[in-house]
Amino acid sequence: MNKNNSNSGDNSQISKEKYAAKLTIIAGAIVTLGDFLALVAAALEVEEIASEELQSQQDKSNQEDRMLSMQKQIDYLTIQLSNFKK
């Protein structure tokens, strides 16, 4: 009977080891999922930064176009004023 108890103890130890191994696998999967989500977040952030930079460049280009148009108007008005004085 002593042998049965010893065998039962061995089975219990093996069962605990299997449980620990399963928990390790589950924990590894959760960590991997967390790493994947961090990667996705970083990719979205890079995409957002690129989008903001593109918008900034477009805004700058639009502003330069408006400034050029205003300068042309100023030049035209200056010429008109000069002609008017003559």
Side-chain angles (χ1 to χ4, degrees):
M1 199 166 227
N2 206 6
K3 218 176 197 185
N4 254 351
N5 283 343
S6 176
N7 203 9
S8 177
D10 288 344
N11 285 340
S12 176
Q13 182 65 27
I14 291 172
S15 178
K16 287 180 183 179
E17 289 174 359
K18 285 182 181 180
Y19 182 70
K22 287 179 183 179
L23 282 177
T24 301
I25 290 170
I26 291 170
I30 291 171
V31 167
T32 301
L33 178 61
D35 290 344
F36 175 73
L37 291 176
L39 176 66
V40 169
L44 290 173
E45 186 175 357
V46 167
E47 188 175 305
E48 180 66 25
I49 289 170
S51 176
E52 288 174 359
E53 286 179 357
L54 178 61
Q55 183 63 42
S56 176
Q57 288 174 353
Q58 289 174 343
D59 290 346
K60 184 178 178 182
S61 176
N62 289 341
Q63 186 177 16
E64 288 173 355
D65 290 345
R66 286 191 303 259
M67 296 271 292
L68 182 60
S69 175
M70 289 170 58
Q71 184 61 49
K72 286 180 180 180
Q73 290 174 3
I74 290 170
D75 293 344
Y76 173 78
L77 291 172
T78 303
I79 291 170
Q80 291 299 321
L81 185 59
S82 179
N83 289 338
F84 182 71
K85 286 183 178 180
K86 289 182 181 178

